[in-house]
């Protein structure tokens, strides 16, 4: 996949051309940092509201996680919270349904949403990790367990 959803149609062609610098990382999956693409598997389906052609009422359908994320109208953290929350509690996703009633769960959902939004915006993983280490967010005082 690519974080640049505009290039979705070109993705497969680009990936085939870019195979020379691809690295296999797990179970036949590859990534290519130089050409900014990666492969992943996700069977998790996320509830999504879609407008029905017959009426103005929205129907709920389940769509794959990548499609749910790509269909967001905004890449801001608040716009992806619902998708992230559904993924985190899905048995074939984060499988964290036992933690939903914990006080810190919504904080975790928001933190994960912010992380996703920053990755989409192009912030580097090492930059984000440095920030986490330098703040008290990782002090463990308000944990989920």
């Amino acid at each position: 996949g690519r974080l640049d959803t505009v290039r979705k149609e070109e993705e497969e062609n680009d990936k085939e051309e870019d195979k020379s610098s691809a690295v296999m990382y797990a179970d036949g999956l590859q990534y290519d940092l130089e050409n900014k693409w990666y492969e992943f598997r996700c069977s998790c389906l996320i509830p999504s509201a879609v407008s029905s052609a017959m009426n103005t009422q929205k129907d709920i359908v389940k769509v794959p996680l990548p499609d749910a994320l790509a269909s967001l109208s905004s890449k801001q953290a608040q716009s992806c919270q619902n998708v992230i929350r559904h993924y985190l509690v899905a048995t074939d996703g984060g499988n964290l349904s036992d933690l939903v009633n914990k006080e810190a769960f919504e904080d975790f959902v928001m933190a994960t949403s912010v992380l996703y939004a920053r990755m989409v915006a192009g912030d580097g993983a090492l930059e984000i990790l440095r920030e986490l280490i330098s703040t008290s967010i990782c002090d463990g005082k308000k944990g989920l367990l």
Side-chain angles (χ1 to χ4, degrees):
R2 291 186 190 267
L3 294 178
D4 180 4
T5 57
V6 175
R7 295 191 52 178
K8 190 173 183 178
E9 293 176 6
E10 301 170 10
E11 181 178 316
E12 289 303 316
N13 292 337
D14 289 349
K15 209 168 27 172
E16 289 303 316
E17 294 171 10
D18 299 339
K19 289 284 185 186
S20 62
S21 56
V23 176
M24 188 163 310
Y25 71 94
D27 200 20
L29 301 176
Q30 299 179 41
Y31 69 89
D32 185 337
L33 298 178
E34 181 180 324
N35 293 297
K36 300 180 181 175
W37 62 262
Y38 60 91
E39 297 174 330
F40 69 95
R41 284 190 197 100
C42 180
S43 62
C44 185
L45 297 175
I46 304 295
S48 180
V50 295
S51 295
S52 172
M54 299 296 193
N55 57 36
T56 58
Q57 186 176 4
K58 293 201 176 213
D59 295 325
I60 303 297
V61 297
K62 291 194 172 194
V63 298
L65 175 64
D67 293 344
L69 290 170
S71 70
L72 296 172
S73 60
S74 166
K75 298 301 181 201
Q76 297 297 316
Q78 287 184 330
S79 68
C80 64
Q81 268 185 286
N82 198 38
V83 172
I84 300 288
R85 183 181 298 104
H86 280 291
Y87 169 77
L88 289 173
V89 299
T91 55
D92 56 349
N95 199 22
L96 298 176
S97 59
D98 291 346
L99 303 176
V100 170
N101 295 323
K102 299 280 186 178
E103 183 180 331
F105 183 74
E106 285 305 313
D107 292 340
F108 183 63
V109 170
M110 186 58 182
T112 306
S113 300
V114 168
L115 177 62
Y116 172 77
R118 289 191 61 189
M119 289 170 43
V120 169
D123 291 354
L126 292 177
E127 175 187 342
I128 294 169
L129 285 173
R130 273 192 287 277
E131 288 176 22
L132 287 172
I133 291 168
S134 68
T135 65
S136 63
I137 196 167
C138 293
D139 65 9
K141 291 180 183 171
K142 190 177 177 184
L144 287 171
L145 302 176

